[in-house]
Amino acid sequence: DVKVTQSSRYLVKRTGEKVFLECVQDMDHENMFWYRQDPGLGLRLIYFSYDVKMKEKGDIPEGYSVSREKKERFSLILESASTNQTSMYLCASSLPQGIAKNIQYFGAGTRLSVL
Amino acid sequence: RKEVEQDPGPFNVPEGATVAFNCTYSNSASQSFFWYRQDCRKEPKLLMSVYSSGNEDGRFTAQLNRASQYISLLIRDSKLSDSATYLCVVSQYGNKLVFGAGTILRVKS
């Protein structure tokens, strides 16, 4: 069974703080993704990575950065948290090719509140 | 305009009812299509893929109409456990998926 683990379920941070969201997967997947999910907007892709030390911008990368130093770990960084970054953050992973690349396995999510 | 549009619902149906959701997508170059299911306060999980020929998995039937750029999901004999948000998902180039905002289904006894 694929397991994607996000380090925190709930986080409360203050405006201007640097925030790290960690994600670890145990299935040796090459692809990893960070999304945010907001009511009425669905999941929006922030960043993704196809391999170690590789990253690509998604649809809404502004205000975020990522790090992938090891294959199993993909970190999302909010350099200076702002109130409009209050959201549910979901990490996902998948295999790189074929039909399997479309099956993304998600972590349980981190609900971040920025005050 | 959103790339993937869904009626947000909620659809409130009694147990045993048949319910159908539609979804439209704007990018004609979209390659693959899926329905994911998200239970309340849980992560999304793949429900089924959608093919032009249509496909069925038990009580669930998915259809794709490429000419009209819409996807449908039919649930027969609804169960209480079917209550969830159903996400229409489209894959484009590379490994990216585009998610609709979801349709809420509530099945009541």
Side-chain angles (χ1 to χ4, degrees), chain A residues 9 31 33 35 37 40-43 45 48 50 59 90 96 101-104 106-108, chain B residues 2-3 31-32 34 36 38 41-44 46 49 87 91 94-97 99-101:
Chain A
R9 289 300 306 272
N31 297 340
F33 307 83
Y35 297 88
Q37 185 174 29
L41 297 177
L43 278 78
L45 183 63
F48 58 104
Y50 294 150
D59 300 316
L90 288 159
K101 73 179 183 180
N102 295 313
I103 304 173
Q104 291 189 9
F106 286 83
Chain B
K2 292 179 184 175
E3 289 188 68
Q31 299 173 348
S32 303
F34 309 90
Y36 274 65
Q38 186 172 22
R41 295 196 176 89
K42 299 278 192 178
E43 69 274 21
L46 178 68
S49 302
L87 306 174
S91 98
N95 296 335
K96 287 176 55 175
L97 297 181
F99 288 78

Side-chain angles (χ1 to χ4, degrees), chain A:
Chain A
D1 230 16
V2 177
K3 194 158 177 72
V4 179
T5 303
Q6 294 184 229
S7 52
S8 306
R9 289 300 306 272
Y10 301 95
L11 272 181
V12 180
K13 296 291 181 180
R14 297 207 176 274
T15 302
E17 279 193 76
K18 190 168 185 175
V19 181
F20 293 86
L21 302 183
E22 305 287 346
C23 175
V24 177
Q25 49 93 5
D26 66 358
M27 282 303 292
D28 204 34
H29 284 172
E30 282 79 1
N31 297 340
M32 294 190 76
F33 307 83
W34 273 107
Y35 297 88
R36 62 178 284 176
Q37 185 174 29
D38 301 287
L41 297 177
L43 278 78
R44 292 181 291 166
L45 183 63
I46 304 171
Y47 266 97
F48 58 104
S49 169
Y50 294 150
D51 205 346
V52 176
K53 295 192 187 297
M54 178 273 171
K55 60 186 178 185
E56 293 273 352
K57 292 181 180 179
D59 300 316
I60 51 164
E62 296 78 20
Y64 303 95
S65 62
V66 290
S67 171
R68 188 142 182 224
E69 296 297 318
K70 293 184 178 181
K71 189 175 185 179
E72 67 271 19
R73 186 179 297 270
F74 192 33
S75 304
L76 180 69
I77 304 153
L78 286 66
E79 296 290 343
S80 177
S82 62
T83 54
N84 63 12
Q85 292 179 311
T86 292
S87 186
M88 170 67 85
Y89 289 88
L90 288 159
C91 174
S93 71
S94 74
L95 288 167
Q97 294 173 358
I99 294 292
K101 73 179 183 180
N102 295 313
I103 304 173
Q104 291 189 9
Y105 297 88
F106 286 83
T110 297
R111 186 166 293 282
L112 173 67
S113 296
V114 182
L115 307 177

